[in-house]
Short mmCIF file of all heavy atoms in Angstrom, two decimals:
data_model
loop_
_atom_site.label_atom_id
_atom_site.label_comp_id
_atom_site.label_asym_id
_atom_site.label_seq_id
_atom_site.Cartn_x
_atom_site.Cartn_y
_atom_site.Cartn_z
N GLY A 1 0.82 -1.21 0.00
CA GLY A 1 0.00 0.00 0.00
C GLY A 1 0.85 1.26 0.00
O GLY A 1 0.55 2.24 -0.70
N ALA A 2 1.93 1.24 0.78
CA ALA A 2 2.83 2.40 0.81
C ALA A 2 3.51 2.59 -0.54
O ALA A 2 3.67 3.73 -1.00
CB ALA A 2 3.88 2.21 1.91
N LEU A 3 3.89 1.49 -1.18
CA LEU A 3 4.51 1.58 -2.51
C LEU A 3 3.52 2.14 -3.52
O LEU A 3 3.87 3.02 -4.31
CB LEU A 3 5.01 0.20 -2.94
CG LEU A 3 5.59 0.10 -4.35
CD1 LEU A 3 6.86 0.95 -4.46
CD2 LEU A 3 5.88 -1.34 -4.70
N ALA A 4 2.28 1.65 -3.49
CA ALA A 4 1.26 2.15 -4.42
C ALA A 4 0.99 3.64 -4.19
O ALA A 4 0.86 4.41 -5.15
CB ALA A 4 -0.02 1.35 -4.27
N ALA A 5 0.94 4.04 -2.93
CA ALA A 5 0.71 5.46 -2.62
C ALA A 5 1.89 6.31 -3.09
O ALA A 5 1.69 7.40 -3.63
CB ALA A 5 0.50 5.64 -1.12
N ALA A 6 3.11 5.82 -2.89
CA ALA A 6 4.28 6.59 -3.33
C ALA A 6 4.31 6.75 -4.84
O ALA A 6 4.62 7.83 -5.36
CB ALA A 6 5.56 5.90 -2.84
N VAL A 7 3.96 5.70 -5.57
CA VAL A 7 3.92 5.79 -7.03
C VAL A 7 2.82 6.75 -7.48
O VAL A 7 3.03 7.56 -8.39
CB VAL A 7 3.75 4.39 -7.66
CG1 VAL A 7 3.44 4.48 -9.14
CG2 VAL A 7 5.00 3.55 -7.43
N ALA A 8 1.66 6.68 -6.84
CA ALA A 8 0.57 7.59 -7.20
C ALA A 8 0.93 9.05 -6.92
O ALA A 8 0.66 9.93 -7.74
CB ALA A 8 -0.69 7.20 -6.42
N VAL A 9 1.57 9.30 -5.79
CA VAL A 9 1.98 10.67 -5.46
C VAL A 9 3.04 11.16 -6.44
O VAL A 9 2.99 12.31 -6.91
CB VAL A 9 2.48 10.75 -3.99
CG1 VAL A 9 3.20 12.06 -3.72
CG2 VAL A 9 1.31 10.59 -3.04
N ALA A 10 4.00 10.31 -6.77
CA ALA A 10 5.04 10.71 -7.72
C ALA A 10 4.46 11.01 -9.09
O ALA A 10 4.84 11.99 -9.74
CB ALA A 10 6.10 9.61 -7.82
N ALA A 11 3.51 10.19 -9.55
CA ALA A 11 2.87 10.45 -10.84
C ALA A 11 2.07 11.76 -10.79
O ALA A 11 2.09 12.54 -11.75
CB ALA A 11 1.96 9.29 -11.23
N ALA A 12 1.39 12.01 -9.68
CA ALA A 12 0.63 13.26 -9.55
C ALA A 12 1.56 14.47 -9.55
O ALA A 12 1.25 15.50 -10.17
CB ALA A 12 -0.20 13.23 -8.27
N VAL A 13 2.70 14.36 -8.88
CA VAL A 13 3.67 15.46 -8.86
C VAL A 13 4.18 15.74 -10.27
O VAL A 13 4.29 16.89 -10.69
CB VAL A 13 4.83 15.14 -7.89
CG1 VAL A 13 6.00 16.08 -8.09
CG2 VAL A 13 4.34 15.21 -6.46
N VAL A 14 4.47 14.67 -11.02
CA VAL A 14 4.95 14.84 -12.40
C VAL A 14 3.89 15.53 -13.24
O VAL A 14 4.18 16.47 -13.99
CB VAL A 14 5.34 13.48 -13.01
CG1 VAL A 14 5.51 13.57 -14.51
CG2 VAL A 14 6.61 12.95 -12.37
N LEU A 15 2.64 15.09 -13.13
CA LEU A 15 1.57 15.68 -13.93
C LEU A 15 1.29 17.12 -13.54
O LEU A 15 1.08 17.98 -14.40
CB LEU A 15 0.31 14.84 -13.81
CG LEU A 15 0.38 13.47 -14.49
CD1 LEU A 15 -0.85 12.65 -14.15
CD2 LEU A 15 0.55 13.62 -15.99
N LEU A 16 1.29 17.40 -12.23
CA LEU A 16 1.03 18.78 -11.79
C LEU A 16 2.17 19.71 -12.17
O LEU A 16 1.94 20.87 -12.53
CB LEU A 16 0.78 18.81 -10.28
CG LEU A 16 -0.53 18.17 -9.83
CD1 LEU A 16 -0.61 18.12 -8.32
CD2 LEU A 16 -1.72 18.91 -10.41
N ALA A 17 3.39 19.23 -12.08
CA ALA A 17 4.53 20.06 -12.49
C ALA A 17 4.48 20.32 -13.99
O ALA A 17 4.78 21.43 -14.44
CB ALA A 17 5.85 19.38 -12.11
N GLY A 18 4.09 19.33 -14.77
CA GLY A 18 3.95 19.52 -16.21
C GLY A 18 2.84 20.49 -16.54
O GLY A 18 2.97 21.32 -17.44
N ALA A 19 1.74 20.43 -15.79
CA ALA A 19 0.64 21.36 -16.01
C ALA A 19 1.05 22.78 -15.65
O ALA A 19 0.68 23.74 -16.31
CB ALA A 19 -0.58 20.94 -15.20
N ALA A 20 1.84 22.92 -14.56
CA ALA A 20 2.29 24.26 -14.16
C ALA A 20 3.22 24.86 -15.21
O ALA A 20 3.15 26.05 -15.51
CB ALA A 20 3.00 24.20 -12.81
N ARG A 21 4.09 24.03 -15.80
CA ARG A 21 4.97 24.53 -16.85
C ARG A 21 4.16 24.91 -18.09
O ARG A 21 4.49 25.86 -18.77
CB ARG A 21 6.03 23.49 -17.20
CG ARG A 21 7.21 23.53 -16.29
CD ARG A 21 8.35 22.71 -16.84
NE ARG A 21 8.03 21.30 -16.95
CZ ARG A 21 8.05 20.44 -15.95
NH1 ARG A 21 8.37 20.86 -14.74
NH2 ARG A 21 7.75 19.18 -16.12
N GLY A 22 3.12 24.15 -18.37
CA GLY A 22 2.29 24.44 -19.54
C GLY A 22 1.50 25.73 -19.38
O GLY A 22 1.18 26.39 -20.35
N ARG A 23 1.16 26.11 -18.15
CA ARG A 23 0.41 27.34 -17.89
C ARG A 23 1.32 28.55 -17.71
O ARG A 23 0.83 29.64 -17.47
CB ARG A 23 -0.38 27.22 -16.59
CG ARG A 23 -1.50 26.29 -16.58
CD ARG A 23 -2.37 26.55 -15.36
NE ARG A 23 -1.68 26.32 -14.10
CZ ARG A 23 -1.71 25.18 -13.45
NH1 ARG A 23 -2.34 24.16 -13.93
NH2 ARG A 23 -1.09 25.06 -12.29
N GLY A 24 2.60 28.32 -17.73
CA GLY A 24 3.50 29.44 -17.50
C GLY A 24 3.96 29.54 -16.08
O GLY A 24 4.30 30.61 -15.60
N GLY A 25 3.98 28.42 -15.38
CA GLY A 25 4.46 28.41 -14.02
C GLY A 25 5.98 28.50 -14.00
O GLY A 25 6.61 28.80 -15.01
#
């Protein structure tokens, strides 16, 4: 469960950082 949560959080961080760069972050 901890591994699945860590992978989900890492994927979310990657997607949010990509979205911030796309918006001009």
Side-chain angles (χ1 to χ4, degrees):
L3 176 64
V7 169
V9 167
V13 166
V14 166
L15 290 172
L16 291 174
R21 276 192 297 280
R23 292 194 296 267

